[in-house]
Amino acid sequence: MRLDKFLANLKYGSRSDIKKFCKKNMIKVNGVSVKNADTVINPDADLIEVDGEVVFYKEHITLMMNKPAGYICSTVDEKYPSLLNLLDRKYSRFDFKFAGRLDVDTLGLVILSTDGEVIHKITSPNKDMYKTYYVKTKCKIENEMLLESPIKLLDGNNSEYITKGAKVAKISDFELYLSITEGKFHQVKRMLEYIDNEVVLLKRIKIGNLSLPSDLEEGKYKEISLNDVF
Ligand code: URA
């Protein structure tokens, strides 16, 4: 790959910026200053430095994050900050996508990946990957077994859809675990409305085989391998 393309992809600047950096001897490949921005490099093998900073690179990265309330799983909203703002410089140079979004007030496990295939495998309803939520309700939980069968709800476009049927495990009169394979807009909240209740606290605690670790603080994240999830 060309050096200028590689560094521009990692948001070190535009290709013409990289050209200027080269002219100013700011870029080294394997310890040697590089004058030409079109030098071909091997990102997996070469050590690249920009102004003394060693460039961190991997072809694909997947992270798990413990989402705090008040952040959104998107980049376009003026009201709330994006979860991506919590990434430090090492990771914010990469283009992460969310493997399933959580509402602004929902907490817990979010997977972010630079790999579109990973996102698809986790979010595609056809893959039947369970996502488990801890749910706290306003009213005493009744008729929760209704959620285990397909029910009719509205999605984000107010079109009707039929759920696939959830796994429900009641914890107490006001708490349950709900596992679903889909991720429609406000799905868990709407499922609880279906049984005449209201969610007061929602936290995703598991995606596939990956559980939210108890020692991962809110707002913190770490790299995971795909074997952790699938
Ligand atoms: N279901 C919801 O209602 N909200 C979420 O954030 C996730 C699932």
Side-chain angles (χ1 to χ4, degrees):
M1 191 191 294
R2 279 173 55 138
L3 182 63
D4 53 359
K5 182 167 191 286
F6 171 71
L7 291 176
N9 285 351
L10 289 172
K11 305 182 178 92
Y12 277 94
S14 64
R15 284 198 189 189
S16 62
D17 291 334
I18 308 300
K19 211 170 169 179
K20 285 180 205 150
F21 297 160
C22 284
K23 294 262 170 318
K24 289 186 188 165
N25 287 328
M26 286 167 64
I27 302 186
K28 286 184 182 167
V29 177
N30 299 324
V32 179
S33 278
V34 171
K35 282 275 178 217
N36 293 323
D38 59 3
T39 303
V40 174
I41 53 132
N42 177 351
D44 295 317
D46 293 329
L47 180 82
I48 319 287
E49 290 167 77
V50 178
D51 208 12
E53 178 189 310
V54 173
V55 174
F56 169 69
Y57 173 79
K58 287 186 185 181
E59 189 187 0
H60 284 302
I61 305 174
T62 300
L63 302 173
M64 71 163 143
M65 187 185 276
N66 185 358
K67 179 188 173 298
Y71 286 83
I72 51 162
C73 298
S74 147
T75 46
V76 278
D77 190 311
E78 281 144 27
K79 216 162 141 205
Y80 298 102
S82 167
L83 211 50
L84 297 176
N85 293 1
L86 295 174
L87 298 179
D88 66 24
R89 228 154 70 101
K90 175 176 170 186
Y91 291 105
S92 61
R93 295 188 176 282
F94 293 84
D95 288 321
F96 284 101
K97 301 268 180 307
F98 297 96
R101 296 175 176 195
L102 294 180
D103 297 335
V104 64
D105 55 350
T106 303
L107 314 171
L109 182 59
V110 174
I111 294 177
L112 306 103
S113 184
T114 58
D115 188 341
E117 241 175 78
V118 171
I119 304 281
H120 178 72
K121 271 194 187 164
I122 295 172
T123 54
S124 168
N126 303 328
K127 305 281 180 193
D128 277 345
M129 179 171 283
Y130 275 98
K131 289 97 190 173
T132 302
Y133 295 84
Y134 165 80
V135 185
K136 213 171 188 172
T137 60
K138 187 170 175 187
C139 313
K140 197 168 168 183
I141 299 165
E142 285 169 348
N143 297 323
E144 71 280 2
M145 68 294 276
L146 292 179
L147 305 178
E148 291 174 348
S149 304
I151 56 171
K152 204 187 276 180
L153 296 178
L154 295 180
D155 67 13
N157 302 317
N158 282 334
S159 306
E160 282 184 350
Y161 75 98
I162 310 279
T163 64
K164 278 193 171 167
K167 290 185 193 169
V168 184
K170 199 164 168 178
I171 308 167
S172 71
D173 281 350
F174 294 88
E175 296 166 295
L176 54 77
Y177 293 119
L178 191 70
S179 301
I180 54 175
T181 57
E182 308 123 295
K184 298 281 189 192
F185 186 62
H186 293 339
Q187 182 164 344
V188 173
K189 290 173 184 163
R190 288 180 173 178
M191 289 175 86
L192 270 292
E193 279 168 20
Y194 184 85
I195 53 168
D196 299 319
N197 213 320
E198 195 183 311
V199 172
V200 293
L201 183 89
L202 187 57
K203 180 172 185 175
R204 186 156 62 194
I205 56 165
K206 198 170 178 194
I207 298 176
N209 293 327
L210 180 72
S211 294
L212 182 68
S214 55
D215 59 353
L216 189 65
E217 290 169 27
E218 279 187 17
K220 301 289 182 217
Y221 54 92
K222 63 180 191 181
E223 274 191 54
I224 53 171
S225 86
L226 299 185
N227 293 336
D228 295 328
V229 187
F230 299 106

